[in-house]
Amino acid sequence: MTIRDARRGAVRRGAVALAVWWLWMPLVALLAWWVKHGLFGGFGQQDQSYVLLMERQFFPHGGVLDAAPLFWIWVAVGLLGTVWVVGYVADASGTAFGDRRVRLAFAVVLLAVAGSLVRAGTGIWDDDKDAGRFYALATVLDIPAGGAATPRSVLPVTEHTRKGDGGRCDLLGTADVPACVKTAPMPDFDFDARTASYAAATAALTASAGLTSGVHLMGHSLHYLPDASQGGGVWTAVLDGSGEQPTEGIAVWDGRSNTVATCAYRGDHAFGRAFAGTGAVSLRNLLAERFPDLVYSDQDIWGYCDGPDPRTAQPVIVVSVARQTGWLQRTVLEPAGVLVLRGSSDGRPDITYRATVAPGELPGAVYPASIVRSQIHEVQWLGGRGAKDDRGFGYAHTSAATNAGNPGEFLLRSKADGHLYYVTPLVPRESSSQLVVAYAVLQADRVGGGLGDLHVYVRGDDSPSVNLDVLASRMVSYMAQQTSITISAGQGGALQEIIPFGRDMWRGYVDFNGQTQDYIDLSGDATVKPNLVSLSGPITAPGGQPTPAPTAPAPTPQPPAAAGDCGGDPGQLTTAQLAACVAELSKALQGRIQAPATAKP
C-alpha cells in the first residue's frame, strides 16, 4: 500500500467517524419523533410536547440563530470529537503535527470549542434573568410618592433610576433589567365582593354536581365569574368525563347556599370528548392536534352556561391559551387568546380560536391566570441580580393560614369601570412578615397583542398596616362578640379565606360543614364599623328538591308565670315564664300610651 493510499484510507475513516460523532444525536432525536408520531399517531400531545421540548432546549427561534445553551454544549462536544478525529487522521496518514494545515485545523476547531462554551455559559447564566427581562417589559411599579417618602419595599429599584417619559413611566431603572416606575397611588377600584369562599364553592360543587358515573368535577376549572349586579356572581366548574365517558357539562352555584345547577351537553349540543378522556375521547389530544403551537394550564380552563336558565342553556368551555415563543436564548410563554368549545349535533366539539377578546365579549377571565402568576414572580428581577440575590427584592403571595388554599389572583369586578381584574395581595419576598405591602392588579377581561400590563401598587410605609393574620384575629374576635359562636381561623378552620374589595376593605368567609354561612367585612385601618352578614339556604343536587333545614324540637309547654314571679330574678324564670312577664309589661305599657295625658301642674 502506498503512502497516498494510506492517507486516503485514514481520511475516509476519519470522515465516517466524524459523521457518526456528529449525527448520532440528531438521528436519535429524529427516531424518537418518528416513534411518537408514527407508532402513536393520533395522540396529539405526544407530537406537541416533543416539538415544544426541542424548541425549548435547542432552537427557541426555530434555527441556529440564538440557539439555546444546550445546543452550544452539543456543538462544543462535537468539536472536541472533531479534534480527536483530526489528530487520528494526521497520525494515521503520516502527516506531521508540525504541518501548517494541521496546525491551522487544530486552531480553528479549538477556537470554535471556546466560542461554543462561552455562548453556552452566558446563556445558562442569563437564562433566569432573561425571563425576568421579558416579563419586566409589561410591569409597572406604582408608588405613592418619591424621594424620602418612597416605600422601603421598592427602594432597591428606585435608588438607581433615571427620568422616564412622564407618561407610562416617571422613572426608569438603570439595572440591566428594564424597570418602569410610576408615581401614582392605587386607584379606587371599589371591587365587588364575593358571597362565598373558594373552599365553600369547592365543597358545594364537588358534592352536589354530576349525575353520571365516571364524571368528576375538574378542580382546577373552579372559577368565580363576577356579574355586573352587586353580589350577582356565580361559581362554575367543568364536569369532566374520564376514560370513555365524555364531559357532562358546566356546574353553577350562586354562592348563597342554593341549589347547584347544571347545563349539560345534550341534543344539538352534544360533546364527545373529555380532558381526562382516553383514546378517541381525549380532548387534550384533539386540542394539541388542531393547535400544536398553543398551550394552557388547567387553572386557565373554565366554563359558563350561555343562557338565563341553566336547564336549557348551552354549556361553553373557555380555555385561555398561551404560546411558547423565542426570547433571546430561551423560550417564554405569552398570552395567545382563547379557545371557545361548544357542542354539536354529532358530538364533535365545535372549537373556535380567538386571538383577541375585547372586554364584555365573554363573562369571565380571558387573560391566563398562569401568566399573571409568572409576571408576579418575575418582579424580583426589576432591580437586577444584585437587588434580587443580595437584598431580597421582590414580592410574594401571602402564606397566611386563612388563604393557604387560595392566596391570590382573585378575579374581581371593578365598580369604577366595570372591568374584571386579577387582584393579588403581596408581602415581601424574603421575609417572615405577613404585612401586605403591595397589590398586583392586571385587567383580566381582554387579551390580544402580547402581555398585559401588570401594575404593582406599592403601599406607603405610613399607610395603615394590613396583616391577614391580624385581620383574621379581628374577625374571629368580632364574631365572638356579636354571636355565641366561637370560630377558628386557618386552613381547616371556620374562617377560610380573606379577600380585598373596595378601598382598604376585606371580607372573610365563615364556613361550616363546607358551606359559607356568614361573612365579615372589616376595614384594614379599623375605621369602618364591621359588618357581619349571615347567609342561609340548603344545597341540593341538580334536579333534586331543597332539603329543609333541621328544626329544633318543640319546647315543652309550661304554665304562664304568676304575676308575683315577674318581680323576682329573671335568671330564675323559665323561658315561658319570662315571655309571659314580657307580655304583661307590654300590655301595661300599651295601656299607658293610649291613655289621655294628665295635665301638669
Side-chain angles (χ1 to χ4, degrees):
M1 178 182 295
T2 63
I3 295 177
R4 187 174 184 179
D5 291 337
R7 288 179 176 176
R8 288 179 176 175
V11 171
R12 283 197 297 270
R13 291 191 297 273
V16 172
L18 276 178
V20 172
W21 181 251
W22 279 96
L23 296 178
W24 74 268
M25 188 178 291
L27 289 175
V28 169
L30 185 63
L31 177 63
W33 177 84
W34 182 84
V35 170
K36 286 177 172 288
H37 182 76
L39 297 184
F40 296 98
F43 294 87
Q45 293 180 90
Q46 297 281 346
D47 278 357
Q48 183 190 50
S49 62
Y50 189 71
V51 171
L52 294 177
L53 176 67
M54 290 296 104
E55 289 181 359
R56 187 164 56 250
Q57 298 296 336
F58 291 96
F59 306 110
H61 300 272
V64 177
L65 181 65
D66 281 333
L70 190 57
F71 171 79
W72 295 112
I73 292 175
W74 172 76
V75 170
V77 172
L79 291 172
L80 288 174
T82 302
V83 171
W84 180 84
V85 171
V86 170
Y88 166 78
V89 171
D91 181 65
S93 63
T95 303
F97 281 93
D99 186 272
R100 185 178 62 181
R101 290 172 298 178
V102 175
R103 292 200 305 270
L104 180 62
F106 267 104
V108 170
V109 174
L110 290 175
L111 284 174
V113 170
S116 299
L117 291 176
V118 169
R119 192 65 185 273
T122 56
I124 294 174
W125 175 252
D126 284 338
D127 186 71
D128 51 356
K129 183 191 290 187
D130 287 342
R133 287 169 172 156
F134 176 75
Y135 292 109
L137 296 173
T139 302
V140 180
L141 290 174
D142 295 83
I143 61 176
T150 301
R152 282 174 289 178
S153 67
V154 79
L155 282 178
V157 176
T158 58
E159 284 177 342
H160 307 284
T161 57
R162 55 185 174 85
K163 188 176 181 180
D165 57 10
R168 181 173 183 268
C169 308
D170 294 329
L171 300 172
L172 297 174
T174 57
D176 55 354
V177 178
C180 172
V181 180
K182 182 70 176 176
T183 305
M186 181 176 177
D188 186 7
F189 288 102
D190 196 15
F191 297 109
D192 284 327
R194 303 174 179 179
T195 55
S197 69
Y198 183 91
T202 301
L205 291 171
T206 300
S208 303
L211 298 174
T212 307
S213 179
V215 171
H216 306 280
L217 188 84
M218 192 174 180
H220 289 292
S221 70
L222 185 67
H223 268 58
Y224 181 74
L225 305 182
D227 196 5
S229 59
Q230 172 69 23
V234 295
W235 289 93
T236 68
V238 177
L239 297 177
D240 193 37
S242 60
E244 296 185 358
Q245 176 66 42
T247 300
E248 181 175 298
I250 307 299
V252 182
W253 182 51
D254 66 1
R256 298 178 182 273
S257 300
N258 292 330
T259 304
V260 173
T262 300
C263 53
Y265 285 109
R266 55 176 174 255
D268 290 337
H269 305 296
F271 198 86
R273 298 271 182 156
F275 286 100
T278 59
V281 182
S282 173
L283 179 59
R284 296 186 188 274
N285 282 329
L286 178 64
L287 295 179
E289 288 172 4
R290 293 193 185 180
F291 308 96
D293 61 333
L294 299 180
V295 296
Y296 54 89
S297 172
D298 281 2
Q299 72 179 106
D300 298 320
I301 301 171
W302 56 277
Y304 69 98
C305 296
D306 190 9
D309 186 353
R311 294 173 298 181
T312 58
Q314 178 182 350
V316 181
I317 296 176
V318 180
V319 183
S320 300
V321 294
R323 179 175 287 107
Q324 179 176 283
T325 184
W327 169 256
L328 302 179
Q329 284 185 258
R330 58 164 296 152
T331 59
V332 291
L333 292 177
E334 64 177 348
V338 298
L339 297 174
V340 180
L341 286 65
R342 299 176 182 267
S344 65
S345 57
D346 58 5
R348 297 178 181 178
D350 179 6
I351 306 174
T352 303
Y353 171 59
R354 301 173 64 174
T356 60
V357 180
E361 292 183 351
L362 290 173
V366 294
Y367 194 95
S370 58
I371 300 295
V372 178
R373 180 153 292 201
S374 296
Q375 291 180 250
I376 293 175
H377 176 75
E378 298 301 336
V379 169
Q380 62 186 314
W381 282 102
L382 293 183
R385 190 180 296 276
K388 181 186 79 74
D389 293 345
D390 301 333
R391 302 182 63 177
F393 172 73
Y395 303 97
H397 292 69
T398 175
S399 59
T402 52
N403 289 40
N406 189 25
E409 285 80 60
F410 301 116
L411 185 62
L412 304 175
R413 180 184 294 277
S414 168
K415 296 179 182 178
D417 58 21
H419 291 302
L420 305 183
Y421 292 89
Y422 289 115
V423 183
T424 306
L426 300 175
V427 300
R429 183 173 68 91
E430 289 191 2
S431 173
S432 60
S433 170
Q434 288 304 299
L435 284 174
V436 176
V437 296
Y439 296 91
V441 180
L442 188 145
Q443 188 171 340
D445 57 3
R446 68 177 179 187
V447 69
L451 292 171
D453 274 348
L454 174 74
H455 286 267
V456 180
Y457 294 100
V458 184
R459 305 183 79 233
D461 293 341
D462 57 350
S463 300
S465 61
V466 176
N467 184 317
L468 293 189
D469 288 331
V470 174
L471 281 177
S473 178
R474 288 174 52 199
M475 290 177 177
V476 169
S477 176
Y478 183 76
M479 188 165 184
Q481 294 172 11
Q482 300 298 314
T483 70
S484 60
I485 301 175
T486 300
I487 63 174
S488 58
Q491 192 171 16
L495 186 60
Q496 288 286 335
E497 183 178 300
I498 301 175
I499 65 171
F501 74 99
R503 179 174 289 279
D504 201 29
M505 292 295 296
W506 298 80
R507 174 168 292 184
Y509 298 92
V510 182
D511 296 350
F512 291 105
N513 299 322
Q515 298 180 18
T516 297
Q517 301 294 340
D518 313 271
Y519 63 79
I520 308 173
D521 294 340
L522 288 179
S523 63
D525 57 4
T527 59
V528 179
K529 182 180 178 181
N531 181 37
L532 174 61
V533 178
S534 297
L535 305 176
S536 62
I539 298 176
T540 63
Q545 296 297 321
T547 302
T551 57
T556 304
Q558 298 187 21
D565 293 336
C566 294
D569 183 5
Q572 301 299 322
L573 300 178
T574 65
T575 302
Q577 290 171 335
L578 189 60
C581 290
V582 171
E584 289 296 326
L585 290 173
S586 178
K587 287 181 180 179
L589 179 62
Q590 187 69 22
R592 291 187 181 184
I593 293 174
Q594 294 176 354
T598 304
K600 293 183 179 181

